[in-house]
Amino acid sequence: MTNDTYRHKGLRRQLASLLKEKGIENASVLTAIETVPRHLFLNSSFIERAYEDIAFPIGSGQTISRPHTVAFQTELLELKKGEKVLEIGTGSGYQTSVLLEMGAKVYTIERQKALFDLTKTFLPTIGYNPKFFYGDGYKGLPVFAPFDKIIITAGAPIIPDALLDQLKIGGIMVIPLGDAVQVMTLIKKVANKKFEKVEYGEFRFVPLLENKEWGD
Ligand code: SAH
């Protein structure tokens, strides 16, 4: 891979052990963090700090979540190889790459055209090939449903009904719920229209926006 050095690999190993200290237990999540070259997802002026546990701007007013948030959300998904995952909020594609690295089949939706175009072009150049969709995550992807898992990577004021419908029975959705601050929420579909909810800690995300005018 271009521009990925032993130094970067060393920094990733350190990041993975930091996340382990912070409570991430799932070995395949930690391996994925150790594998995905996060520095390549950042604007070059931030590259030196790519393996610290901090969030960064990625353009179009959006952010790449901090590694701990990515790992925490991914761990809650209880992902198994080959599962079909719907991701809302492609952004830089870093979370997408972590899911792919764990063997998921990823369908990812982004509502900002500039970010969508950038990430759709960039990810395949480093070997990650999800199915990209430009559209409104509130609607999900009914044509490709049902999904084993659904992950929302923006702060959602409500749980979109369409997404609950598109979850398999037995499937898990992980969604940060709230306006200014979000509570990480795990929703398990136990039967048709029957759900169990578990709440985790507070996180901060950019908002999941309703589809008014695209491309802003
Ligand atoms: N997972 C990303 C983090 C992205 S930040 C990463 O690893 O980089 C959240 C993203 O959600 C932003 O790119 C934002 O444009 C997108 N978003 C917000 N509302 C959306 C919606 N309704 N549908 C799809 N994407 C949305």
Side-chain angles (χ1 to χ4, degrees):
M1 192 179 292
T2 49
N3 302 320
D4 191 27
T5 65
Y6 281 109
R7 189 175 137 259
H8 293 119
K9 289 185 179 114
L11 290 171
R12 281 205 288 283
R13 262 198 300 279
Q14 284 174 26
L15 174 61
S17 25
L18 176 69
L19 296 182
K20 200 170 173 183
E21 278 167 33
K22 290 189 178 182
I24 304 298
E25 291 173 355
N26 184 314
S28 35
V29 173
L30 293 169
T31 303
I33 297 280
E34 244 185 86
T35 310
V36 179
R38 189 169 187 263
H39 63 287
L40 300 180
F41 292 74
L42 301 177
N43 183 304
S44 58
S45 50
F46 297 125
I47 280 182
E48 287 304 311
R49 308 194 63 194
Y51 295 108
E52 292 177 25
D53 189 17
I54 44 183
F56 286 104
I58 51 173
S60 309
Q62 303 304 322
T63 55
I64 176 170
S65 303
R66 53 193 284 223
H68 177 259
T69 304
V70 172
F72 192 89
Q73 253 190 305
T74 309
E75 184 164 70
L76 290 181
L77 283 179
E78 293 177 23
L79 210 54
K80 292 177 203 72
K81 278 204 171 70
E83 283 188 332
K84 219 168 115 184
V85 179
L86 174 63
E87 179 192 34
I88 312 298
T90 313
S92 70
Y94 178 71
Q95 170 76 72
T96 319
S97 304
V98 167
L99 298 169
L100 289 166
E101 198 55 62
M102 292 177 69
K105 281 169 62 182
V106 186
Y107 296 70
T108 185
I109 311 180
E110 174 56 54
R111 75 182 283 283
Q112 295 228 28
K113 188 69 164 66
L115 266 178
F116 167 81
D117 288 338
L118 199 72
T119 303
K120 188 175 192 279
T121 307
F122 165 67
L123 275 202
T125 68
I126 58 165
Y128 294 117
N129 294 288
K131 301 203 186 318
F132 291 98
F133 298 86
Y134 169 56
D136 181 11
Y138 275 92
K139 299 194 177 76
L141 290 172
V143 174
F144 296 94
F147 296 94
D148 297 295
K149 307 285 160 71
I150 300 181
I151 178 170
I152 290 90
T153 71
I158 52 142
I159 305 173
D161 282 337
L163 300 185
L164 291 175
D165 289 344
Q166 292 170 35
L167 195 57
K168 259 187 203 165
I169 292 176
I172 289 174
M173 176 191 303
V174 177
I175 179 166
L177 268 179
D179 294 316
V181 174
Q182 294 83 34
V183 175
M184 193 62 80
T185 307
L186 183 153
I187 292 161
K188 187 161 187 179
K189 188 166 188 170
V190 287
N192 196 19
K193 305 219 180 289
K194 196 156 175 269
F195 301 92
E196 282 171 5
K197 188 164 121 178
V198 188
E199 292 182 342
Y200 293 84
E202 287 187 348
F203 291 80
R204 274 168 207 277
F205 284 82
V206 296
L208 183 71
L209 297 172
E210 291 277 7
N211 172 29
K212 294 190 184 100
E213 280 180 55
W214 289 4
D216 53 342

